[in-house]
Amino acid sequence: MEHQHQHDHTHMDGGKPTHDHSAMEHSEHQHQGQQGQQKQHGQHDHHGGHHDHHAMMIADFRKRFFVVLVLTFPVMLLSQMIQHWLGINIHFPGDNYLLLLLSSVVFFYGGWPFLKGWWEEMKGWEPGMMTLIGFAITVAYIYSVATVAGLMGMDFFWELTTLILIMLLGHWIEMKSVAGASRELELLVQLMPDDAHLVHGEHIMEVKTATLKEGDVILVKPGEKVAADGKVIEGTTWLNESMLTGESKPVEKQKNDNVIAGSINGNGAIKVAVAHGAANSYLSQVVKLVQDAQQSKSKTQLLADKAARWLTGIAILSGIATFLYWWGSGRELAFAIERMVTVIVICCPHALGLAVPLVIARSTALSARHGLLIKNRTDFENSRNITTIVFDKTGTLTVGRFEVVRFESLQQGVSRDTVLQLAAAIEGSSEHPIATGIISKAKALRLSLPAAANIQAITGKGITGSVDSKQVQVVSPGYATTAFSNAPAVDIQAGETLVYVVVDNAIAGFIALADQVRPESAGAIATLQANHIKTTLLTGDNKVVAESVSKQLGMDSFIAEVLPHQKLDKIKELQQQGEFVAMTGDGINDAPALAQANVGIAIGSGSDIAAETAGIVLVNSNPQDVVNLVLFGKATWRKMMQNLAWATGYNVIALPLAAGVLYKEGILLSPAAGAVLMTVSTVVVAINASLLKVKNGGK
């Protein structure tokens, strides 16, 4: 994928927002053709306003449906055909004019959204669903009015009324389904609490979350939602971040740990220093990202739009051809018009128009709730084509931090624990990854750390200091063998880093550390291989470490000792061999390689989301999420294809029936039956989209 395609798709045409609609907007465009409304919502400045507008439209269709429902009964009772079927006879002076009046109310009031939509579509010269419905009901109405005015033939008023009634019901049900498709996004929006407890000296003030700014200190009580991104400055607790990261286990938070707005506090109270205002919070960025992704059109969506336009043309031509065939073969005008209206209604490409947007709306919002942030729809859909995944080792397949794997005493009278204790004491103030690993192991074993003094670094070789009047050094094997003639040889396992602990110029013991492979890594690699996806390890580490990790996980290959700028060349080499490559990296030093890869997957913290060049961002560094992403990409593609197959296949079967191909066998669809079938096809597509789920390691 070219670099420029990695960027946001939502703004083209010289910086103006394009009319890329989310499922809801797509539906509204077809329902009302309200392009003025579209421009308002194109920016998605306020999701709440958009939601209210959609709710108003649902209410409007519901009201029109019930008004038409009430009028349908007298219209049917006054229709000659219905009276004939029921064996009744209702006639009085002017009854045909009353029928005309009631039907006119149904046509102009009930049919108004369709007529208005037709006008809007024709203004933009984009004939679509509203054109078909508007045209069908207008033909039926004008012909029926002509029969009242003296034209020979049977009126169409009861068919017109039932057709509009079912269309209103179908749109009402379907709009409710569409609203449901974006409910996951609503849930994300609702995660942010409205109020926060601002700490002001000794006092605590209740303030609106939106007013918080960088540097404010807030109190988060047990069971409450965290009101802002920030750092814990007091207290310890466990936070449930599952709605934001997909990580089901609560995460422990203590002083200096970062917290995300919207996560749910456990039993402890904490004070948090706010990192930035609500508009720049991780949650706000995620919501914006989801909205942008829902609006951006992928190749599949463009294909479906093209198919819908073709279907509109086919519907109009088929309708006219059907009319000409029946009228030309000597059937009465009413019959020919009824066939034409049924063909046009049944061919409405609504299910086709919604097949992809509904899946997009659901998949992007669901992904965000599982820690998979889709920035580029095409990248996400392309994930089904991946043949090779290149993993950056540190922090993805491995934990990304040094941990003590073994430690031993090499001197009589010095215990194992003492070796670790003394090393941890002098490493106490160091930020070095090895120091961090030693200290965390000592803490895990609950060893008390004695005070250390006179700490100095031995540049490139280790650290020295005094503990309880003993001179203690933690040094590299190279330094130990040159400085101490009696340095015992220790077998270094693949992937290990070794340090010697020296007490009063005698080697007292050693500590071996390694960047531990994540427990989930082996399962993730196995699942990818079961799906015929090759896995390659790409790392700056030495060959011994790379080979060890690669073998341990059963990966297909490894590329070691690669500098950041060489990663891009390695990706290109794989692509030249015909591989469709996905790359996972941390998104900062891996940016060129992520941009070069066919699918760029950044493992990133929330704050970096906006700046990443990757098409997809994984909130957690868990390799299982890479698997979930690929499998969810495939599942999303399958749902799109199922919807497209249903929406087109239904038309292939329904259109000939509507045209009257099986008329001689006694099978004939009325316009109302056509409307029912069209509505059912749309609802099937909506229900199928709603069944899409993210499963851990599943499909």
Side-chain angles (χ1 to χ4, degrees):
M1 170 146 309
E2 294 299 326
H3 185 90
Q4 61 265 35
H5 291 313
Q6 297 284 354
H7 296 293
D8 197 300
H9 282 287
T10 46
H11 291 83
M12 298 170 193
D13 301 337
K16 292 179 199 148
T18 55
H19 286 270
D20 285 342
H21 315 305
S22 68
M24 270 204 265
E25 289 171 312
H26 188 98
S27 173
E28 285 170 25
H29 175 59
Q30 289 181 320
H31 285 298
Q32 294 282 66
Q34 291 170 318
Q35 286 164 333
Q37 296 279 10
Q38 291 294 338
K39 281 171 188 160
Q40 282 176 15
H41 294 298
Q43 298 285 2
H44 264 292
D45 288 335
H46 193 279
H47 191 79
H50 175 74
H51 181 67
D52 293 344
H53 167 66
H54 195 71
M56 263 165 45
M57 292 188 64
I58 293 172
D60 182 57
F61 273 101
R62 184 176 61 226
K63 187 173 76 178
R64 288 179 197 272
F65 167 75
F66 282 115
V67 170
V68 172
L69 180 64
V70 170
L71 295 174
T72 301
F73 293 107
V75 167
M76 292 185 81
L77 285 173
L78 290 171
S79 294
Q80 291 175 43
M81 176 93 57
I82 302 295
Q83 289 183 25
H84 174 69
W85 285 348
L86 296 177
I88 57 174
N89 192 3
I90 304 171
H91 279 297
F92 52 85
D95 58 351
N96 57 340
Y97 293 110
L98 178 60
L99 181 61
L100 171 62
L101 177 68
L102 293 172
S103 302
S104 298
V105 173
V106 170
F107 175 69
F108 288 108
Y109 178 72
W112 177 246
F114 310 115
L115 297 170
K116 186 179 176 189
W118 179 18
W119 169 247
E120 292 287 353
E121 283 180 357
M122 294 319 292
K123 242 181 11 185
W125 201 242
E126 285 180 4
M129 164 151 184
M130 292 299 171
T131 301
L132 297 181
I133 300 174
F135 178 62
I137 61 175
T138 303
V139 167
Y141 178 71
I142 290 171
Y143 170 76
S144 302
V145 171
T147 62
V148 174
L151 182 74
M152 287 298 291
M154 186 85 74
D155 68 65
F156 248 23
F157 287 129
W158 78 269
E159 285 102 329
L160 172 71
T161 306
T162 51
L163 174 58
I164 290 174
L165 181 74
I166 292 161
M167 280 296 185
L168 288 169
L169 176 65
H171 279 61
W172 172 29
I173 293 170
E174 178 252 308
M175 286 187 80
K176 285 179 81 171
S177 311
V178 173
S182 283
R183 202 156 289 139
E184 277 80 16
L185 182 57
E186 293 295 324
L187 289 171
L188 277 175
V189 174
Q190 288 161 16
L191 280 179
M192 188 70 89
D194 291 331
D195 302 307
H197 314 298
L198 181 66
V199 179
H200 201 280
E202 295 297 305
H203 307 290
I204 291 176
M205 296 159 49
E206 297 297 313
V207 297
K208 290 285 171 201
T209 303
T211 64
L212 293 175
K213 57 191 186 300
E214 187 181 344
D216 284 348
V217 175
I218 55 169
L219 173 69
V220 184
K221 296 176 183 174
E224 289 186 337
K225 287 178 183 170
V226 177
D229 293 357
K231 202 164 252 181
V232 178
I233 55 169
E234 191 182 305
T236 59
T237 190
W238 291 79
L239 291 186
N240 180 348
E241 298 179 341
S242 60
M243 277 292 279
L244 298 150
T245 65
E247 178 58 64
S248 54
K249 294 195 294 265
V251 185
E252 188 178 10
K253 298 289 178 183
Q254 41 201 353
K255 195 170 175 181
N256 292 330
D257 284 344
N258 290 324
V259 295
I260 309 174
S263 45
I264 300 162
N265 191 12
N267 294 328
I270 49 171
K271 282 185 183 171
V272 175
V274 176
H276 37 233
N280 296 320
S281 71
Y282 167 78
L283 190 58
S284 298
Q285 287 191 55
V286 170
V287 169
K288 182 172 186 322
L289 204 61
V290 173
Q291 289 171 343
D292 286 350
Q294 285 183 353
Q295 283 178 286
S296 71
K297 288 200 180 188
S298 64
K299 287 174 186 163
T300 320
Q301 175 60 52
L302 295 170
L303 176 76
D305 286 354
K306 204 171 186 179
R309 274 198 294 278
W310 270 99
L311 192 56
T312 302
I314 290 166
I316 292 170
L317 290 173
S318 304
I320 293 167
T322 302
F323 170 77
L324 293 173
Y325 171 79
W326 287 112
W327 198 36
S329 61
R331 295 301 306 232
E332 58 273 19
L333 183 62
F335 182 86
I337 288 176
E338 186 184 58
R339 289 304 91 223
M340 177 172 77
V341 167
T342 310
V343 165
I344 286 173
V345 166
I346 217 160
C347 272
C348 281
H350 210 207
L352 191 57
L354 286 171
V356 175
L358 280 176
V359 178
I360 285 176
R362 185 164 173 82
S363 67
T364 37
L366 264 182
S367 302
R369 286 178 55 197
H370 286 81
L372 319 172
L373 303 178
I374 298 165
K375 292 185 65 184
N376 181 318
R377 288 285 333 162
T378 305
D379 264 24
F380 177 57
E381 284 176 27
N382 282 345
S383 62
R384 75 184 192 284
N385 298 322
I386 294 168
T387 59
T388 294
I389 294 187
V390 175
F391 284 95
D392 182 33
K393 177 181 73 79
T394 310
T396 310
L397 295 173
T398 62
V399 176
R401 61 176 183 269
F402 277 108
E403 292 184 350
V404 173
V405 285
R406 59 197 179 108
F407 59 101
E408 295 294 341
S409 166
L410 297 171
Q411 196 183 83
Q412 278 193 327
V414 179
S415 70
R416 282 177 78 236
D417 284 359
T418 305
V419 169
L420 188 66
Q421 212 169 9
L422 292 172
I426 66 163
E427 294 279 18
S429 57
S430 172
E431 294 290 323
H432 193 279
I434 287 177
T436 314
I438 291 171
I439 294 157
S440 66
K441 183 69 174 178
K443 278 185 180 169
L445 295 173
R446 307 199 171 206
L447 300 177
S448 60
L449 299 188
N454 307 322
I455 291 169
Q456 286 177 316
I458 310 167
T459 312
K461 292 163 185 145
I463 192 167
T464 178
S466 57
V467 180
D468 295 339
S469 74
K470 293 190 189 86
Q471 189 64 28
V472 180
Q473 292 169 297
V474 178
V475 294
S476 67
Y479 179 74
T481 47
T482 53
F484 307 100
S485 54
N486 66 338
V490 175
D491 282 338
I492 300 177
Q493 307 293 318
E496 280 185 351
T497 297
L498 199 76
V499 292
Y500 283 103
V501 180
V502 182
V503 179
D504 291 335
N505 287 327
I507 290 177
F510 72 87
I511 300 169
L513 302 99
D515 183 2
Q516 295 285 73
V517 169
R518 283 174 173 272
E520 313 93 349
S521 295
I525 299 298
T527 309
L528 289 170
Q529 287 174 337
N531 281 271
H532 313 294
I533 294 168
K534 288 181 272 210
T535 53
T536 298
L537 179 65
L538 187 67
T539 178
D541 257 349
N542 64 58
K543 278 192 174 137
V544 177
V545 173
E547 189 172 14
S548 157
V549 172
S550 176
K551 272 192 179 151
Q552 189 181 339
L553 296 175
M555 297 178 77
D556 294 281
S557 60
F558 67 90
I559 304 167
E561 296 171 20
V562 181
L563 295 171
H565 69 272
Q566 294 172 319
K567 289 183 178 178
L568 178 130
D569 299 328
K570 298 294 178 189
I571 300 288
K572 274 187 183 167
E573 279 173 32
L574 286 167
Q575 288 170 328
Q576 280 157 8
Q577 291 161 22
E579 300 291 338
F580 196 91
V581 182
M583 159 89 185
T584 69
D586 67 10
I588 299 157
N589 63 2
D590 295 330
L594 287 170
Q596 175 62 35
N598 300 89
V599 178
I601 305 167
I603 311 284
S605 61
S607 57
D608 298 328
I609 293 167
E612 305 283 8
T613 51
I616 299 154
V617 181
L618 301 186
V619 178
N620 299 314
S621 307
N622 188 341
Q624 187 61 51
D625 283 350
V626 178
V627 177
N628 292 346
L629 173 75
V630 173
L631 296 178
F632 188 52
K634 286 185 174 182
T636 300
W637 175 255
R638 275 198 303 275
K639 279 276 176 262
M640 286 181 182
M641 290 302 107
Q642 284 164 9
N643 276 1
L644 287 174
W646 168 262
T648 47
Y650 140 83
N651 280 296
V652 169
I653 294 163
L655 192 151
L657 289 178
V661 169
L662 297 180
Y663 173 59
K664 291 196 169 93
E665 279 71 36
I667 298 173
L668 200 63
L669 293 174
S670 69
V676 168
L677 282 176
M678 195 216 86
T679 299
V680 167
S681 76
T682 307
V683 173
V684 166
V685 162
I687 290 169
N688 190 39
S690 73
L691 295 175
L692 184 66
K693 287 185 173 57
V694 180
K695 290 182 185 168
N696 249 353
K699 291 184 178 59

